[in-house]
Every structure is written in structure tokens, then in C-alpha cells.
Amino acid sequence: MSVVGNNRVGIPIVLLHDAEGGVVTVETKNGELIRGLLFEAEDMMNLYIKKAVVLGPAPGAKRKVEQIYVRGTEIVFIVLPEMLRHAPMFQRIKHWRKHGGAPPEGVGMAVGQTAAILRKASERRRGGFGGRGGGFGRGGPPVGGRGPVGPPPPIGGGPPQQHGGNYYGR
């Protein structure tokens, strides 16, 4: 289970996303060391690094590149900025361990339209009849002059109306 919310990614990926905008060092499978500004990180650990310096794989080989894209499957390890030691994600993990998996207050709470839908669903489960129209919804019992009482007329059948009246024969 992920302790970082409903986005279903784990702690390393969240840390990687938090490192965006910082300077990282990446070692690849072929022995290259890449150091530069992490511009974007994807959930599959693909990295887009700007203003990078690439060292190796041959000893003494050094080149500067404006931007480089490193595929996640080619990464051996990543050195992240020291500032991430105080990342807010670690506070969520401490809370999760302390309270047995319960999210912190206000985290994971639905807002806006989602909150209204969830609130209405919970009222229905409790048997409440809130909302407009008395809570019956479509197909509920008729209230006032909302149409005919009794079975609906046959579709396409029935005698044609000769004089006055509406579709229901009134």
C-alpha cells in the first residue's frame, strides 16, 4: 500500500518528483555519470535533465549537453539534493506509522463536486431524503400534477386523438 495518497506511486517516485528543480547526479548502466538540473521526472523514472555534464564511460571523457533524456531502465542510482531530507512526504510517513495508516487530517478529503457526491451517497445509505425533489430521484412517486396516474399509454398504439386533449387522452 502506498503511504503517499491515492496516486498509487511509492516513496522513491514521490521523492524523485520532489527533486524536480534541483541538481541531481545519475549513474547509468553503461557507467556514465550525469549531473544536471532535474527538469522533469516521470513515474517510470524517466528523467529529463537540463544543463548536464556527462562523465565517462571512458576515463577522463567529459562533455556538456544542454539537455538529456535518461530512460528509467538505464538508471543504476540517483543522488538527490540534500534539501529533500526535510520533504513534507516524510511527515506523512511519520503520521502513517504513528496512527496505523490513517491519513492526516484534511489529506485525502474530497473537495468540491466530489465531496458533494460522496456526501449525498452517504445520506442515501443512512436513509436521508435530502436534496431537491424530496430525495426520490427519477422514477419516484409522482408529486402534485406531474403527469398521469396509472400505466403509460402503449407506444405507437392507441387510437389517434380527433379533438383536443393531449397525448394522454385528457
Side-chain angles (χ1 to χ4, degrees), residues 53 61 83 88 101:
V53 176
M83 67 178 182

Side-chain angles (χ1 to χ4, degrees), residues 29-110:
K29 285 182 179 179
N30 65 359
E32 290 180 332
L33 276 177
I34 303 167
R35 181 175 172 82
L37 183 72
L38 180 61
F39 184 72
E40 184 179 357
E42 299 173 6
D43 287 350
M44 298 300 290
M45 291 183 71
N46 301 327
L47 306 179
Y48 179 37
I49 301 173
K50 288 189 169 184
K51 298 179 183 171
V53 176
V54 182
L55 302 172
K62 179 178 178 181
R63 60 189 167 108
K64 290 183 179 182
V65 293
E66 188 61 33
Q67 56 190 9
I68 189 168
Y69 187 82
V70 183
R71 188 171 177 176
T73 59
E74 296 298 312
I75 295 173
V76 175
F77 74 82
I78 304 171
V79 178
L80 298 173
E82 190 70 24
M83 67 178 182
L84 290 179
R85 181 176 297 212
H86 306 292
M89 184 204 54
F90 290 121
Q91 301 302 319
R92 291 192 300 247
I93 294 171
K94 286 179 187 175
H95 186 280
W96 182 79
R97 287 181 180 159
K98 183 178 178 183
H99 297 289
E105 294 77 26
V107 173
M109 297 295 294

Side-chain angles (χ1 to χ4, degrees), residues 146-168:
R146 288 194 181 181
V149 177
I155 297 176
Q161 296 292 325
Q162 297 294 326
H163 54 280
N166 59 19
Y167 179 80
Y168 297 107

